[in-house]
Amino acid sequence: MPTFAYKAITMPEAYLYEAVRTPRGKGKASGALYEIKPTHLLAALLRGLQQRTGLQDEQVDDTIIGCVTPIDDQGYNVAQAALLQAGWNNSGGSMQINRYCASGLEAINLAAMKIRAGWGRLVLAGGGESMSRVPMGSDGGALLNDPALISGVRYLPQGVAADLIATLEEFSREMVDGYAYQSQRRAQHAAAAGYFDRSIIPIYDQNGLLVLDKDEHPRVGIQLEDLSRLRPAFRRMGEQGFDAMALQRYPELPAIQHVHTAGNSSGIVDGAALVLVGAHKAGQELGLRPRAKVRAAATASVDPTIMLTGPAPAARKALKQAGMQIGDIDLWECNEAFASVVLKFQKELELDDARINVNGGAIAIGHPIGASGTRVLVTLLHEMGRRDAHKGLATLCIGGGQGVALAVER
């Protein structure tokens, strides 16, 4: 039989260079960013990134933008619209993707894959969502509107799924409120200390007047007692048949304890975020120093009833690919979709509270769903730099029962 000699293929590394975001505006008509279109938010980041790096549009091989509700102001490829609005007429084109809450992180993962495959030298990746202008769920879909599918797979609304996690894990109302209070305190301390300043690109209107330069959602001055007075947000939804559906799947439970409120769940906000991903030589040519190197990315699928437990299996998978252990990670970011999601993730991986979401998270600053995956990475990269930390991991739960994770190293 003939023998074949196989030559090892060395793939180029993918590096993360500049990482920026907009401030978060409240996702309602009274929010500061309501009059600002999502293309404007993304275009502001493109211009800001260009000013910081000297990057020219013709040097960019592709742009990948996550957006969960791609209709109306966000439809018809919001990524390309933003590029054109920013005057980037000579870039390598664009696409928008939807992996629900992790869309912004998956955009970065895809960009890193392009770099590592040698199919690009510089790729912009991020996400944007204007939840005040285009409410979540506006585009419909089978998992929102098809009763046969929903009942057949026992698919719960996310808030009821978060309460299911809390019930199974015996997270009390006091525990989830305590976590939410910690998130608020950490985010407010980080903002006051200037930890977010380097990452935020202020938003100006068409007349050049400042609209917003800091996160609008944090509840300044809120106390733990204030959180304890809020009513459960998903009890009525559970009573409409979803509690019964959850108990069919988890019959060992006598009832679902509804502990999540508007205070210990993520805030609905407007925002965008962007990261420049590239090969080492391309960064050298621009005179840029990498913030971190991509070590591994992973996705995972979990039970669609409980739905929000994907961060742990995705993180483990990414760590295994990177040849890392849980103890190797200096800083963790797990998106605060609901307090029970992070508490479950912490418990399952036995993580030190002092190393996860150290500057607060979506409970405090909000969750612009298409942008949040990028936002958690932006926060992680800047905090790793501030602390001179070496290894980090960002992860998110995802509607429908998924998880995404990205491991990085400075």
Side-chain angles (χ1 to χ4, degrees):
M1 296 208 32
T3 58
F4 298 92
Y6 293 94
K7 183 179 180 180
I9 298 174
T10 302
M11 293 185 295
E13 299 286 359
Y15 293 87
L16 306 173
Y17 292 101
E18 191 57 86
V20 295
R21 70 175 179 93
T22 69
R24 275 34 183 153
K26 293 179 181 178
K28 56 182 69 175
S30 60
L33 298 179
Y34 174 67
E35 298 293 339
I36 305 298
K37 296 178 181 179
T39 51
H40 185 126
L41 295 176
L42 287 165
L45 294 182
L46 288 164
R47 296 188 188 103
L49 188 144
Q50 190 171 40
Q51 291 172 0
R52 291 186 179 187
T53 64
L55 181 69
Q56 299 301 310
D57 55 349
E58 63 268 18
Q59 295 172 305
V60 176
D61 294 302
D62 202 359
T63 297
I64 308 171
I65 297 296
C67 181
V68 175
T69 315
I71 62 171
D72 297 333
D73 286 340
Q74 297 173 168
Y76 204 62
N77 193 354
V78 69
Q80 188 67 13
L83 286 169
L84 295 176
Q85 183 167 335
W88 289 45
N89 302 325
N90 299 312
S91 68
S94 67
M95 65 175 175
Q96 81 184 9
I97 65 164
N98 183 5
R99 199 187 280 273
Y100 207 61
C101 298
S103 299
L105 191 61
E106 185 67 355
I108 294 164
N109 294 347
L110 290 173
M113 293 175 200
K114 286 198 167 202
I115 301 301
R116 298 205 67 192
W119 290 358
R121 300 176 77 248
L122 290 169
V123 179
L124 286 168
E129 203 84 29
S130 180
M131 301 182 77
S132 64
R133 300 176 68 90
V134 187
M136 182 169 55
S138 298
D139 54 344
L143 288 175
L144 289 177
N145 300 326
D146 185 341
L149 176 61
I150 291 168
S151 61
V153 300
R154 298 191 180 99
Y155 181 82
L156 299 182
Q158 290 189 34
V160 180
D163 286 335
L164 173 59
I165 292 173
T167 305
L168 284 166
E169 299 294 335
E170 299 183 347
F171 298 148
S172 66
R173 172 67 186 270
E174 290 73 23
M175 291 175 69
V176 293
D177 279 351
Y179 180 84
Y181 182 56
Q182 173 182 275
S183 179
Q184 292 283 350
R185 291 182 62 191
R186 286 181 171 182
Q188 290 171 38
H189 169 75
Y195 297 167
F196 297 147
D197 291 355
R198 184 68 178 82
S199 64
I200 290 179
I201 300 291
I203 298 300
Y204 296 85
D205 67 13
Q206 60 186 1
N207 298 313
L209 299 176
L210 179 65
V211 175
L212 192 65
D213 61 355
K214 62 183 179 180
D215 296 317
E216 187 180 31
H217 188 267
R219 298 170 171 87
V220 178
I222 195 168
Q223 299 298 315
L224 192 57
E225 295 75 18
D226 300 322
L227 292 172
S228 70
R229 287 192 286 267
L230 297 174
R231 295 181 179 180
F234 308 106
R235 176 177 292 161
R236 181 174 296 181
M237 193 176 290
E239 292 170 349
Q240 294 172 349
F242 290 109
D243 279 3
M245 192 182 296
L247 295 174
Q248 288 175 352
R249 178 66 181 84
Y250 296 91
E252 66 272 24
L253 297 175
I256 305 301
Q257 303 301 315
H258 292 284
V259 298
H260 286 91
T261 69
N264 54 42
S265 306
S266 57
I268 294 173
V269 296
D270 302 334
L274 199 61
V275 172
L276 176 61
V277 187
H280 187 259
K281 187 174 181 180
Q284 280 186 322
E285 290 171 359
L286 285 170
L288 299 178
R289 181 180 179 183
R291 289 188 174 275
K293 176 173 66 176
V294 172
R295 288 292 306 272
T299 61
S301 181
V302 297
D303 173 16
T305 300
I306 201 166
M307 187 189 310
L308 305 174
T309 58
R316 287 196 181 100
K317 192 174 177 181
L319 290 172
K320 184 177 180 180
Q321 290 176 359
M324 294 179 179
Q325 303 296 321
I326 290 173
D328 295 333
I329 301 299
D330 301 304
L331 287 174
W332 302 78
E333 282 285 328
C334 178
N335 189 44
E336 295 176 353
F338 301 90
S340 66
V341 170
V342 185
L343 290 173
K344 165 71 171 171
F345 179 69
Q346 269 187 269
K347 179 180 178 181
E348 196 165 341
L349 271 61
E350 299 181 355
L351 300 181
D352 182 353
D353 184 65
R355 293 193 294 145
I356 182 169
N357 297 353
V358 295
N359 291 330
I363 289 173
I365 68 174
H367 178 16
I369 44 181
S372 289
T374 312
R375 197 284 303 166
V376 297
L377 182 64
V378 170
T379 299
L380 178 65
L381 292 174
H382 283 272
E383 186 62 17
M384 286 176 68
R386 192 183 74 82
R387 295 185 179 213
D388 195 25
H390 295 287
K391 296 183 177 72
L393 188 141
T395 185
L396 299 92
C397 64
I398 309 173
Q402 300 181 71
V404 170
L406 175 64
V408 300
E409 181 176 6
R410 290 181 69 237

